[in-house]
Amino acid sequence: NREGKMSLLAWEKETGIKLVQINGQRRYGGPPPGWVGGPPPAGTEVYIARLPQDIYENTLIPLFQSVGKLYEFRLMLTFSGLNRGFAYARYASLQDARRAIATLHRFQLRHGCPIVVCWSTQKRELIVSGLGASVSQQELEARLHMVTEGIHSVTLHDSPGQSQAKLAVLKYRSHEAAALARKALMEGTPMLGKEGIRVDWLDPQLKKKLQLCEEEPLSSRVQGGESLAVPRPVAPCLSLQNVLAYLNMLCWKHRLRTPVFMTKCVQVKPNGWQKFWYQVVIPGCPVPISGFTWVLSDMQGQSEHEKAKVAAALHILYVLSKSL
């Protein structure tokens, strides 16, 4: 669709609007230029579906701006650059969002192509099935934190349909975070370590069934808005030697030299959690890779610095798997 893409580029240049593309979606605003104050209240986002795949923001944004003030517009994209047939528009107020639904639902962008405009369901929970029976709560959380953002809680359950498997319910802090996580996990990641894993939105009926089956599920419960399982814990069951051996093998395979790790404890909590900063330099890579992780002092023989190195190594494995 070269003509449509060229029209989009011309519109961007003419209006000065900047669209940011990341993780399979292209975003306008959030906040838009000239926005004053905080984000709009919850419930101001509408869901837009049945879009022709060669329609882009140069048509959609002016249309949805015509009924109210837009805070953000997100268009979902395919790898080839076509839209995936749906988008999200977040308005400045509930009144604007209601007006968009009343005015634009069944609006015909083209003859015979009425679009759907309705309230965004704001789904935030995913179900991951097909996990190995031996997977642990902390190991799963540590790996998920490496490949997704905005996790609110993770709950492990025995799989109702498979005796030697587990499933996990992932709850995210926003629908956007959950949608991005779903896309990342559906595309496959070596961080979960098993083929045949399925990821989908959590069905309400399955959620009720799991709640009945599991009287006391292992869960990262939240109090006062903060997770008790402090963000980005490192899995204690992972051997530093094994992780480093795999990382070194991957580096050698791609003609990189042995990584050099630096770790520093920057915060200690009364409950035993410690926050570590880490930086990894890989000779042959242009820039070092750094980040933060939390580890728990549990007297199991592995030092806190070793656990921080495990988290760093998992991070590097993910980065290398995406870039090499």
Side-chain angles (χ1 to χ4, degrees):
N1 184 30
R2 180 175 176 80
E3 182 180 349
K5 293 176 181 178
M6 293 301 293
S7 297
L8 174 63
L9 292 174
W11 174 78
E12 287 184 82
K13 185 176 181 180
E14 178 184 350
T15 60
I17 285 177
K18 293 183 178 180
L19 302 176
V20 178
Q21 184 170 334
I22 185 172
N23 293 326
Q25 63 177 285
R26 195 160 52 215
R27 182 204 305 267
Y28 159 76
W35 181 270
V36 178
T44 58
E45 185 175 82
V46 300
Y47 171 70
I48 307 153
R50 297 184 184 175
L51 295 172
Q53 283 195 286
D54 57 350
I55 293 289
Y56 297 107
E57 291 90 341
N58 54 317
T59 297
L60 297 172
I61 288 178
L63 175 64
F64 282 87
Q65 280 180 329
S66 69
V67 296
K69 186 175 182 181
L70 273 181
Y71 174 78
E72 182 181 67
F73 189 90
R74 295 184 289 122
L75 181 64
M76 306 300 119
L77 301 173
T78 67
F79 287 111
S80 62
L82 296 172
N83 81 60
R84 294 175 60 195
F86 67 98
Y88 297 90
R90 189 175 181 187
Y91 282 92
S93 67
L94 289 170
Q95 291 81 1
D96 287 344
R98 290 193 187 101
R99 191 180 304 113
I101 294 172
T103 306
L104 298 177
H105 180 55
R106 297 189 182 279
F107 178 84
Q108 295 204 28
L109 283 174
R110 291 175 182 162
H111 180 69
C113 294
I115 62 174
V116 170
V117 182
C118 59
W119 292 108
S120 173
T121 56
Q122 295 290 299
K123 293 185 288 187
R124 296 190 297 150
E125 292 179 297
L126 303 176
I127 182 80
V128 180
S129 57
L131 294 168
S134 62
V135 68
S136 70
Q137 177 81 21
Q138 286 185 306
E139 178 184 3
L140 179 61
E141 286 191 29
R143 296 186 179 209
L144 286 169
H145 276 292
M146 297 299 170
V147 295
T148 69
E149 296 181 356
I151 293 179
H152 182 278
S153 65
V154 178
T155 308
L156 265 181
H157 303 264
D158 292 327
S159 178
Q162 297 176 278
S163 59
Q164 297 298 318
K166 289 184 179 180
L167 56 82
V169 174
L170 318 180
K171 187 172 183 179
Y172 286 81
R173 298 190 182 278
S174 67
H175 171 73
E176 180 182 359
L180 291 174
R182 178 172 178 262
K183 180 178 183 297
L185 295 174
M186 286 179 67
E187 290 175 355
T189 169
M191 305 303 292
L192 295 183
K194 184 181 178 183
E195 296 181 358
I197 290 176
R198 297 183 58 187
V199 183
D200 210 337
W201 295 108
L202 177 62
D203 181 82
Q205 292 185 344
L206 177 58
K207 182 178 180 178
K208 290 182 180 179
K209 183 177 179 180
L210 292 174
Q211 289 173 340
L212 291 174
C213 292
E214 301 284 342
E215 294 183 358
E216 295 183 359
L218 298 173
S219 176
S220 304
R221 293 182 175 82
V222 173
Q223 294 182 357
E226 292 188 4
S227 172
L228 296 182
V230 185
R232 298 188 70 173
V234 63
C237 58
L238 295 176
S239 162
L240 176 61
Q241 289 74 21
N242 290 342
V243 175
L244 288 183
Y246 184 76
L247 176 58
N248 289 338
M249 181 179 67
L250 184 63
C251 288
W252 296 336
K253 179 180 178 181
H254 293 279
R255 299 183 179 180
L256 301 173
R257 297 178 64 185
T258 303
V260 178
F261 290 79
M262 291 173 281
T263 59
K264 181 179 180 181
C265 181
V266 296
Q267 186 179 353
V268 178
K269 285 185 172 283
N271 58 5
W273 286 97
Q274 298 182 29
K275 185 177 183 180
F276 275 78
W277 168 85
Y278 61 80
Q279 185 176 80
V280 183
V281 177
I282 305 177
C285 282
V287 294
I289 301 172
S290 59
F292 292 91
T293 188
W294 289 86
V295 301
L296 180 63
S297 178
D298 53 13
M299 307 300 289
Q300 291 187 2
Q302 192 177 38
S303 74
E304 287 73 24
H305 282 274
E306 288 180 326
K307 294 176 184 177
K309 287 182 180 179
V310 170
L314 288 172
H315 183 191
I316 303 306
L317 284 171
Y318 171 67
V319 171
L320 290 178
S321 69
K322 298 289 284 187
S323 60
L324 294 176

